[in-house]
Amino acid sequence: MKTEVFRVDPGNPDKYALRKAASVIRSGGLVAFPTETVYGLGANALDPKAVRKIFAAKGRPVDNPLIVHVHEPGGAAYLGVVDGRSRKLMDLFWPGPLTLVIAAAPGVPSEVTGGLETVAVRMPDHPVALVLISASGVPVAAPSANRSGRPSPTTAGAVIEDLDGRIEIVLDAGPTDVGVESTVLDVTGDVPVLLRPGGVSIESIRKAVGDVVFSPCGKEAGRSPGTRYRHYAPSIPVVLLDPEGVWKNDPRIGDARLPVAYVGISPAPVPVFAQVRFESVKQYAGGLFSALREMERSGAGVILAELPPEEGVGLAVRDRLRRAAMKPVNGNS
Ligand code: AMP
Ligand code: MG
């Protein structure tokens, strides 16, 4: 298959490209498109055959459910149960990087839900995504547009790096803004559970709806199948620069055969071969995935990555880095 790339101006999206992309979605094909978080790989969420193509193109484990994207809050009610609290969250955070896990309506394909009784829904805050979904006339299931296990794509170039020849179209609207994926919040129980930290901070969700349960690496992670896997990982190992200094004992850091690349905000603590420095945690989130991809291309043998403070979007950056640094497990990456 030949992958077509269309440049689209987010301020004035090209109608030809969007019409063509929408018709590909409607006829069961795959389109990579920009959102405010990362690039997504979209298919008609109501067409099981089309959804299966997403898993095949990415090499994604089939028990890892997908987020369904809608172009208006009303679209969520066709996919699942929207209660008062969910509506309040939608009013406050949509369009935006908050995904809500709600009880699924009958008819949502099990390919989308991973066989769970819940469905994850969000309305992205990007004009190209919104026009594409509305022109398609169907809800769009879309995980990040990378090969499974790799850093998420924040540019069309990164999508092509991973998926060229495997998908019909890439809509290129330049680099994405937030840079880390959406916050995933399960609102099916009495107390909302944060399944994945992301672009909307846990602090702001707590301000809106009170208590939210979250423990990094805790049992909640098991409820979100995707969080069990090593993910976001470049092809060279990632070592976390932790304040306790455990990294200093990592044999990969002192090894002369492995030149060190560094990503972080503080100055690198050792001489490095290549680096990407950020001025703020927000910038770190925005540039994290492209920095990991750039450092893997640099010729370095290992990446030393600074863990930012555990607040705001820093929680999401820490989560992605922690999983990028996990040891590979067969079949998961
Ligand atoms: P991705 O689309 O690759 O950014 O990943 C979507 C994330 O949402 C993964 O961590 C999934 O496990 C999670 N997710 C999607 N649907 C559900 C669901 N119904 N219940 C729990 N987690 C979900
Ligand atoms: Mg992903």
Side-chain angles (χ1 to χ4, degrees), residues 58 60 143-144 146 152 181 196 231-232:
K58 286 188 52 122
R60 182 174 171 107
S144 48
N146 50 279
S152 297
E181 301 84 345
R196 175 177 78 183
H231 206 144
Y232 318 113

Side-chain angles (χ1 to χ4, degrees), residues 60 64-67 101 116 118-120 143-144 195-196 223-226:
R60 182 174 171 107
N64 191 1
L66 304 179
I67 295 171
V101 172
L116 300 172
T118 52
V119 63
S144 48
L195 298 179
R196 175 177 78 183
R223 282 168 53 180
S224 190

